[in-house]
C-alpha cells in the first residue's frame, strides 16, 4: 500500500488539488503527508474514497496488511 505522498506522486495530483477533492486545506493535507497530523474520523473515509482504497488508515499508523 502506498503512502498518501507516494499515491499523490504516482497519480500526479498536486496537494492543493487533492485538498480540494477532500474539502480540506492544502496545509492539512501537507500535515497528513509529513506525519504531523493523522486524519480524523471524518477525513479518513474521504482519503480512502478519493484514492480508490489505495491509501488506508493503516498507512497513517505504519501498519502493514497481514494478507
Amino acid at each position: 500500500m502506498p503512502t498518501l505522498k507516494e499515491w499523490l506522486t504516482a497519480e500526479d495530483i498536486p496537494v492543493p488539488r487533492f485538498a480540494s477533492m477532500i474539502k480540506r486545506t492544502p496545509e492539512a493535507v501537507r500535515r497528513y503527508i509529513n506525519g504531523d497530523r493523522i486524519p480524523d474520523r471524518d477525513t479518513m473515509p474521504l482519503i480512502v474514497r478519493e484514492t480508490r482504497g489505495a491509501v488506508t488508515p493503516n498507512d497513517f499508523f505504519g501498519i502493514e496488511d497481514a494478507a
Side-chain angles (χ1 to χ4, degrees):
M1 291 281 182
T3 64
L4 180 56
K5 181 178 183 176
E6 292 167 343
W7 187 85
L8 291 171
T9 300
E11 296 293 319
D12 196 29
I13 298 175
V15 168
R17 180 168 157 223
F18 187 75
S20 177
M21 292 164 66
I22 64 168
K23 297 181 177 37
R24 299 299 184 262
T25 66
E27 185 58 29
V29 173
R30 283 186 199 92
R31 289 180 183 187
Y32 305 147
I33 289 169
N34 293 331
D36 298 330
R37 181 186 294 171
I38 301 290
D40 62 28
R41 70 178 331 134
D42 294 327
T43 304
M44 194 70 74
L46 301 173
I47 292 172
V48 173
R49 184 188 72 216
E50 291 301 327
T51 64
R52 298 174 304 282
V55 178
T56 69
N58 290 349
D59 299 314
F60 292 94
F61 293 98
I63 300 170
E64 299 205 15
D65 264 347

